[in-house]
């Protein structure tokens, strides 16, 4: 790593962020020089770069690649060349032109926003980021992109591509969807944004993310920021940005029937050969919503519910299971026993077959509670 390259930034305190060396002027110049040679200068919304056209392109690009957006953009501006014509159109016509781009809430918001611009702003898109943000479908980054590109106002953007670039440049740990991480990235975005050539800088950093600092296999050797990029210097650009944390593990519960006969034997069932605990012997299972006596009835037993035993938690690789054991006393057997059912003496663990660990644990506890001096 270059001696004066920026160090990894903690994302929890503003003080740590503010302590970083300031290379912003150097970095923005490097990026603008790169943009002059390698950036995209002939996108249809760049000629002319009006607020209406930039806004339209930004909304279309929110979930969609540039190559897909271009023909939609061209058809759209042909039919609706300005915000007035869009505002006056029936919504069905707007949606028809949008068909195929997906995420139709974007089109509905676009139409509503056009009507508000006409009604509340005399057909002129506001130049103030906060006023743009008040329009439907326009977030902070989109508002900044519009004002910077259409009006040359100094405003930082932070779309998905820029988040990736900055997370790598400063090795910002964590998922950008977390507010502390986003705050750090916004800080870097604002610090890097220059005072001049705002439209070009905004397009440049978007282009860098889209064409060089790609999600996989970034082309670091072609990147104007490579000598400052912490993640690249460490040889691990693809570690950033951090992934979205996995969802909470599913929680499941099952009832297990501990049916004891008059000889102190309990009923076990052999599980199917595949699936969880395949082929092991186990207590009969039932959904937690079924009354224990009814569940025993489904096994061909008449049994009386005695008590609920302590729940046994168990973690599988993909979910957590709460085993809710219910103790019952057998009254009579009303159906012929299946070959995959057997009665086992609770007090003689040496005769127990292979049992799943949590079932074995709960039977050992039950055995101790019933006859503390039984066989060891
Ligand atoms: S050096 Fe590589 S990882 Fe760093 S910003 Fe450039 S392309 Fe992205």
């Amino acid at each position: 790593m270059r001696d004066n390259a920026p160090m990894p930034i903690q994302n929890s305190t503003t003080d740590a962020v503010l302590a970083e060396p300031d290379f912003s002027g150097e970095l923005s110049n490097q990026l603008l020089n790169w943009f002059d040679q390698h950036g995209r200068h002939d996108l249809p919304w760049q000629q002319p770069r009006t607020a209406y056209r930039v806004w339209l392109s930004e909304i279309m690009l929110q979930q969609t690649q540039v190559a897909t957006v271009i023909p939609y953009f061209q058809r759209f501006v042909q039919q609706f060349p300005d915000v007035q014509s869009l505002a006056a159109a029936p919504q069905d016509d707007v949606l028809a032109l949008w068909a195929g781009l997906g995420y139709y809430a974007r089109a509905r918001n676009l139409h509503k926003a056009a009507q508000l611009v006409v009604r509340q702003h005399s057909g002129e898109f506001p130049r103030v980021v906060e006023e743009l943000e008040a329009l439907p479908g326009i977030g902070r980054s989109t508002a900044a992109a519009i004002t910077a590109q259409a009006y040359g106002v100094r405003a930082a953007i932070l779309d998905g591509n820029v988040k990736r670039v900055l997370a790598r440049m400063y090795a910002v740990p964590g998922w950008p969807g977390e507010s502390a991480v986003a705050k750090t990235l916004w800080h870097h975005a604002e610090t890097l944004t220059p005072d001049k050539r705002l439209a070009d800088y905004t397009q440049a950093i978007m282009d860098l993310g889209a064409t060089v600092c790609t999600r996989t296999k970034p082309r670091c050797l072609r990147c104007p920021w490579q000598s400052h990029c912490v993640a690249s210097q460490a040889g691990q650009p693809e570690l950033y940005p951090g992934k979205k944390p996995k969802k909470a593990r599913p929680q499941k519960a099952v009832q297990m029937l501990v049916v004891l006969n008059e000889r102190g034997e309990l009923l076990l069932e052999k599980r199917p050969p595949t699936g969880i605990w395949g082929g092991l012997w186990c207590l009969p299972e039932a959904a937690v919503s079924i009354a224990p006596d009814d569940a025993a009835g489904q096994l061909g037993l008449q049994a009386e519910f005695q008590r609920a035993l302590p729940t046994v938690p168990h973690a599988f690789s993909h979910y957590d299971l709460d085993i809710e054991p219910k103790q019952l006393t057998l009254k009579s057997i009303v159906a012929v026993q299946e070959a995959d059912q057997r009665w086992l003496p609770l007090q003689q663990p040496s005769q127990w077959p292979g049992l799943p660990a949590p079932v074995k644990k709960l039977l050992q506890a039950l055995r101790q509670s019933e006859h503390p001096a039984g066989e060891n």
Side-chain angles (χ1 to χ4, degrees), residues 165 168-169 212-213 218-220 223 226 229 232 237:
V165 172
R168 290 171 176 175
M169 270 289 286
V212 176
C213 193
R219 299 174 183 87
C220 297
C223 178
Q226 204 257 344
C229 178
S232 178

Side-chain angles (χ1 to χ4, degrees), residues 45 49-62 110 113 117 124-159 186 198-200 202-203 206:
W45 42 91
R49 200 153 49 186
T50 65
Y52 172 67
R53 293 163 67 89
V54 171
W55 164 67
L56 193 54
S57 71
E58 285 295 324
I59 302 299
M60 287 184 167
L61 288 165
Q62 277 172 359
L110 190 85
V117 169
E124 275 270 312
F125 278 84
R127 291 168 184 255
V128 178
V129 167
E130 289 75 16
E131 287 181 20
L132 274 172
E133 268 190 270
L135 295 171
I138 301 185
R140 179 177 170 186
S141 182
T142 301
I146 296 167
T147 53
Q149 291 183 282
Y151 301 130
V153 170
R154 184 179 182 275
I157 66 157
L158 190 66
D159 67 4
W186 272 113
L198 268 304
D200 287 346
T202 302
Q203 187 64 51
M206 290 195 286

